[in-house]
Amino acid sequence: MSQSSARILILDDDPDVACAAQMLLRRRHGAVATLEDPARLDALLAAGVPDVVLLDLNFTPGRIDGAEGLALLDRLRALPQGPAVIVLTAYADVPLAVEALKRGAGDFITKPWDNARLLAAVDAALARRGARTDGVDASLMGDSPAMREVKSMIASVAPTMANVMVLGENGVGKELVARAIHAASMRAHSAFLAVDMGAVPEATFESEMFGHRRGAFTDARTERAGRFQAAQGGTLFLDEIGNLPLAAQAKLLTVLERRQVTPVGADRAEPVDVRIVSATNLDEARLFDAALFRTDLLFRLNTIVIRVPPLRERRGDIPAMLHHYLSLYESQYARPVRELAPGALDRLCAWDWPGNVRALRHACERAAILGNRPDYHVDDFGLTAPPAAMPAPAPAGEEFKLGALERDTIAAAMEQARGNISLAARLLGLSRAALYRKLGKHGI
């Protein structure tokens, strides 16, 4: 799902809060609507279900129990292909946050919010909604030997208390593996909370992860639960753990060793009971580089390692995925049911699919929308070059000029993002893995 095509609804009775969120999100997303009166929600949904809803928990003046918002959350989660929901609240007490997560909220944001934190939460919600289509775990579809091994590992490790590290390229479905582990575990009825570690600012890491007390710092106007407290009794998914700075790694290690957190501004630690599932697209060799990742933390996280294969290593699963996604988008966009043209399936199965399942899903959506022939042809999917095509050599001297331009552009993006890999990758329109390769290539 592209950011520009996303539909976002802000459901909050405070017009100033709704307007502030709308102005922020419109910088990145085009269609951002606001709604102050929950009674008008049905009429709005009749015109189309949004992709993400930012949901306040209290609408009646004086109420702080969150019951109104939780009831709305239940309604939104019951919709077919319902939206991802991010809870907005000025009263982020732990029981209420956990209850919202148990009922299906993907994240919660306290007011007043940090702009970068809100943008990252919406981006993550869009990514998760795009990956989970029609209730079918399509990224884990398939009966190839590689996927059978993944599913067997999930079945074996889920009932245990072991921490799990999921490895794989962007788009292979690492979070879906984490969710499958949680769903088959003894913690299935408690919260599953996903955190993109690359999107957590280093300066606010402790507050985001461990919480803070009111008055702990200048903007700490209310007490706030951290991600560990919010996931109490459940599973905490630390996505893109390889992006975590070394200083933050040390703080995370301390929590995992002691199984307790100390909120910022608190004078005593609080016990936490969470299972950790982490994920990264880093090569394993880079994970064992002490300059990038603490070895002692790695051994805490990778009790069990599940490697999710890229799509090019399980081509036998591609036909079922094509059928699933084409059928899904034909139904979603009221498009005619069509078959693949002769020879198209072989070419699509031969494609390497950089971007993996995510790229295949987007290609199927494109084909369903733009295809106007009785059957699907390869060019409907936007794959304009042969699978093994290589770029033509640059003219003499041109390669060095282009290389310098690329290096300067990447360096400028890294400076603007203040070293945040996730943000720099978004600015450049690259995956994190691609950005890491280019950083290594240019020695940045």
Side-chain angles (χ1 to χ4, degrees), residues 20 27 42 83 118 154 162 164 174 204-205 218 244 258 272 282 284 286 329-330 334 339 395 402 405 422 429:
R27 301 173 190 173
D42 287 339
L118 180 57
I154 291 172
V164 182
K174 297 188 290 296
T204 59
F205 175 81
T218 303
L244 196 60
R258 299 177 181 175
V272 289
L282 284 182
E284 288 186 68
R286 298 196 69 187
Y329 290 121
E330 287 166 351
E339 300 294 330
L402 292 174
L405 287 172
S422 297

Side-chain angles (χ1 to χ4, degrees), residues 61 63 75 91 111 121 126 141 184 189 231 233 250 254 270 283 285 295 340 345 386 397 419 421 428:
R63 291 195 65 169
R75 287 175 55 194
Y91 304 93
K111 298 182 285 188
L126 287 169
M141 285 175 60
H189 298 293
T254 299
E270 302 174 357
D283 294 333
T295 304
L340 288 166
L345 179 60
I421 294 292
L428 293 164

Side-chain angles (χ1 to χ4, degrees), residues 310-360:
L311 202 49
R312 63 183 177 276
E313 293 181 7
R314 51 184 184 111
R315 298 180 191 273
D317 295 334
I318 291 176
M321 290 186 181
L322 289 169
H323 175 75
H324 167 77
Y325 283 121
L326 288 172
S327 298
L328 172 71
Y329 290 121
E330 287 166 351
S331 173
Q332 180 173 327
Y333 296 115
R335 301 290 290 167
V337 176
R338 287 169 286 176
E339 300 294 330
L340 288 166
L345 179 60
D346 290 340
R347 292 187 62 189
L348 292 170
C349 289
W351 189 263
D352 275 347
W353 294 105
N356 295 293
V357 180
R358 187 179 300 148
L360 183 145

